[in-house]
Amino acid sequence: NEILLRKMPDIKITEIKYEYNAESGKKIGLTGIAPSRERLLVFRKALEEDTLFAEVDLPISNFLKGTNIEFYLNLTPA
């Protein structure tokens, strides 16, 4: 729910995956489409500012395209 509350209307989420590993703990994987690099950065910043997430990992490879960016984001719950 927190992820969807932080999402702007122009960011499209296509998949949310929840993973649990005894060694590394819980992870959330997000896949989606952002209209631009700037909007993707704003979305990442909103997630980083949320105290429910200890880590937000957005690989630099997501920024190769300038528009209609297909992205993958990894979140670690706090």
Side-chain angles (χ1 to χ4, degrees):
N1 241 1
E2 287 300 314
I3 295 167
L4 297 178
L5 290 174
R6 301 282 181 254
K7 184 186 84 60
M8 290 76 68
D10 55 351
I11 300 280
K12 307 231 182 325
I13 303 294
T14 56
E15 183 178 27
I16 299 175
K17 292 188 338 185
Y18 299 94
E19 300 174 19
Y20 177 75
N21 182 313
E23 292 179 21
S24 61
K26 297 177 186 176
K27 298 262 184 205
I28 301 169
L30 275 184
T31 304
I33 300 171
S36 68
R37 292 179 185 133
E38 293 78 18
R39 294 304 285 167
L40 184 53
L41 284 171
V42 169
F43 181 48
R44 181 188 74 182
K45 186 161 178 66
L47 292 170
E48 287 174 336
E49 292 174 350
D50 193 319
T51 58
L52 292 176
F53 304 114
E55 184 180 349
V56 178
D57 178 32
L58 179 63
I60 195 75
S61 61
N62 287 301
F63 292 98
L64 293 177
K65 273 182 75 177
T67 58
N68 293 321
I69 302 166
E70 293 180 25
F71 66 88
Y72 185 79
L73 187 77
N74 292 304
L75 302 165
T76 305

